[in-house]
Amino acid sequence: MERRRNGNGIGGKWHTPCTQCPLRALPHFRDFNAKELDFVAHFKSGELSVDRGSTFLVEGTHSPHIYTVLNGWAFRCKFLSDGRRQILNYVLPGDLVGLQGGLLGAMDHSVEALSPLTLCVFERSKLDRLFERHASLAYDLTWIAAREERILDEHLLSIGRRSAIERTAYLLSYIEQKARQVHMLTVNRPVIPVTQQHVADTLGLSLVHTNKTLRKLADRRLIKWLDRGCEVLASDDLRRLAQWEGLPEMQRPFI
Amino acid sequence: MERRRNGNGIGGKWHTPCTQCPLRALPHFRDFNAKELDFVAHFKSGELSVDRGSTFLVEGTHSPHIYTVLNGWAFRCKFLSDGRRQILNYVLPGDLVGLQGGLLGAMDHSVEALSPLTLCVFERSKLDRLFERHASLAYDLTWIAAREERILDEHLLSIGRRSAIERTAYLLSYIEQKARQVHMLTVNRPVIPVTQQHVADTLGLSLVHTNKTLRKLADRRLIKWLDRGCEVLASDDLRRLAQWEGLPEMQRPFI
DNA sequence: CGATGCCTTGAGTGAATTCAACGCTTGTGG
DNA sequence: CCACAAGCGTTGAATTCACTCAAGGCATCG
């Protein structure tokens, strides 16, 4: 499996004011009211752009920032001390990362960009003020944490109890749904930008066996594998194969 | 593996006023200030006692309550539609359950008692008031959710990337530490009340293979297996075998 | 005293891993 | 412009790990 290494390539600049946040335009997200928007605009201290392959949050470090993804793909992962890697979840626009580190102290996982990535930067130090003055956003924050927990529950069920082909079907159908919700998969850009190594490290399988399992799904015309990417052809069939209910279709908050 | 079934045995009565909550006496937990205590006492609407084997929160249902464990052992779990079970985490005194359901709607997992269990009952409907009026408790709630997420990350790493013997070592050392923090393991009562079926369903292994793996650990004098239970003899050795860092020793909030 | 729940063990099978090699594309430095 | 390395995907073969099947033992409980 993929072993720990280090990549960087971080640059920062300010672009998007919160009032014109492209995420607010997505029907998938709950919009802010004026008071909330005012606070969030104040909470945001800047923007960060990172390259593909860059690990912008590192396990064991203490970050003064929390981030919301504005654009691009990333993943959270964790390593054993001998280098074995487990990918925990994928991160897309609207997702918050670094909250664990922000609340509990040091990061216990890393976050790496799968594509060029733009992030909103929030100051950890202003979190207290959020809880003091903006109950609705505090509620949202808890909601977001509970939602991530729920997804990890499903991942755990998947790795623990689904067969290799079911797991793979679950994962691809999950990513496809999640990405579609935030318009990161379109007719022009239908590809999930992962390697088979990423899939293997998410599913707890070896690279070789992942390759053979993906081939089975491709032979059944459920997916198409491209260079550095996967196109899902039949999301519903994958979902059924995995005995998975799918993501709820409710609107969700973001920060 | 264990298949879905149903058990019950639920009775309710009121015993412990929050002012005399035994959890507050534990050094492991952050205590409340007067204002917080006042609210929590008001938030708590009663107590619930359930028998061993009783599933008091059921996947798919919508519970009007959130619970904190006062005494006893339990676990959270999830099922595939064909009945395969995955145990997600273990629940001990001071742990909050049902928050996911409370915030997001229906429960997406079940919670079952491993021993006779006493629970504090909170009204989901009073959650809004908590966020409105008690920022510090709102913060704690988010903190608690982030902590659970962190633990699930570690479980995921464990099932995904650790070998059978490492996984087993991790699990038993994890439960031992967690239980010891809340004084649920003592010289008089050193036994974790699980069957090998529970261990298997937590680790994503078959019952037979779990049995053989536990035997290896027992042969190495790291654990002792009893009827319906496990005694950890060498927690640190297990932890090292699993390449696990262990739980942080910080005080934590509870509600 | 038969039923049930839990633990144990051996044998045979199947699934997933490791090892090894090769092809293709992309990028880079000579 | 070519040679070469690096990253990614693919495939076959051998091995190991984990699963299923089958059976039996030992408590506890009605």
Side-chain angles (χ1 to χ4, degrees), chain B residues 51-184:
Chain B
D51 297 337
R52 169 161 83 82
S54 168
T55 301
F56 61 97
L57 278 172
V58 180
E59 195 173 341
T61 64
H62 194 105
S63 166
H65 298 127
I66 296 171
Y67 304 97
T68 289
V69 175
L70 255 187
N71 193 29
W73 299 71
F75 61 88
R76 301 196 299 117
C77 65
K78 237 174 121 63
F79 295 87
L80 285 175
S81 53
D82 65 4
R84 282 175 275 179
R85 176 175 79 170
Q86 176 66 37
I87 294 181
L88 303 165
N89 200 5
Y90 291 82
V91 178
L92 275 92
D95 287 336
L96 190 68
V97 292
L99 184 63
Q100 269 188 51
L103 292 176
L104 307 180
M107 290 294 295
D108 75 327
H109 62 262
S110 302
V111 190
E112 181 180 327
L114 274 172
S115 73
L117 202 64
T118 314
L119 301 149
C120 296
V121 182
F122 302 111
E123 297 296 319
R124 188 238 171 289
S125 57
K126 291 181 187 154
L127 254 186
D128 291 341
R129 194 181 181 83
L130 184 153
F131 279 95
E132 287 294 343
R133 306 276 179 88
H134 299 271
S136 63
L137 294 177
Y139 186 91
D140 287 350
L141 223 45
T142 313
W143 194 99
I144 287 167
R147 178 174 179 276
E148 180 77 8
E149 191 186 318
R150 164 175 292 201
I151 286 172
L152 294 181
D153 284 350
E154 187 71 42
H155 285 3
L156 216 38
L157 171 62
S158 196
I159 301 197
R161 284 301 172 209
R162 283 192 246 252
S163 68
I165 197 158
E166 288 169 341
R167 262 183 248 193
T168 311
Y170 161 71
L171 177 65
L172 294 175
S173 138
Y174 162 72
I175 298 179
E176 197 270 346
Q177 276 197 32
K178 181 178 162 88
R180 195 166 294 281
Q181 286 179 336
V182 294
H183 298 193
M184 286 297 280

Side-chain angles (χ1 to χ4, degrees), chain A residues 36-138:
Chain A
E36 289 166 348
L37 184 58
D38 187 58
F39 176 80
V40 171
H42 162 77
F43 190 27
K44 175 171 172 177
S45 70
E47 247 168 62
L48 182 66
S49 296
V50 304
D51 297 337
R52 168 161 84 81
S54 169
T55 301
F56 61 96
L57 278 172
V58 180
E59 194 173 342
T61 64
H62 194 107
S63 166
H65 299 126
I66 297 170
Y67 305 97
T68 289
V69 174
L70 255 188
N71 193 30
W73 299 70
F75 62 88
R76 301 197 300 117
C77 65
K78 232 173 126 64
F79 295 87
L80 285 176
S81 53
D82 66 3
R84 281 174 276 179
R85 178 175 77 171
Q86 176 66 38
I87 294 181
L88 303 165
N89 200 6
Y90 290 83
V91 177
L92 274 91
D95 288 337
L96 190 67
V97 291
L99 184 63
Q100 270 187 50
L103 292 176
L104 307 181
M107 291 294 295
D108 74 327
H109 62 263
S110 302
V111 190
E112 181 180 328
L114 274 172
S115 71
L117 201 64
T118 314
L119 301 149
C120 295
V121 182
F122 302 112
E123 297 295 321
R124 187 240 173 289
S125 57
K126 291 181 187 152
L127 254 185
D128 291 342
R129 196 182 180 83
L130 183 153
F131 280 95
E132 286 294 343
R133 306 277 179 85
H134 300 270
S136 63
L137 294 177

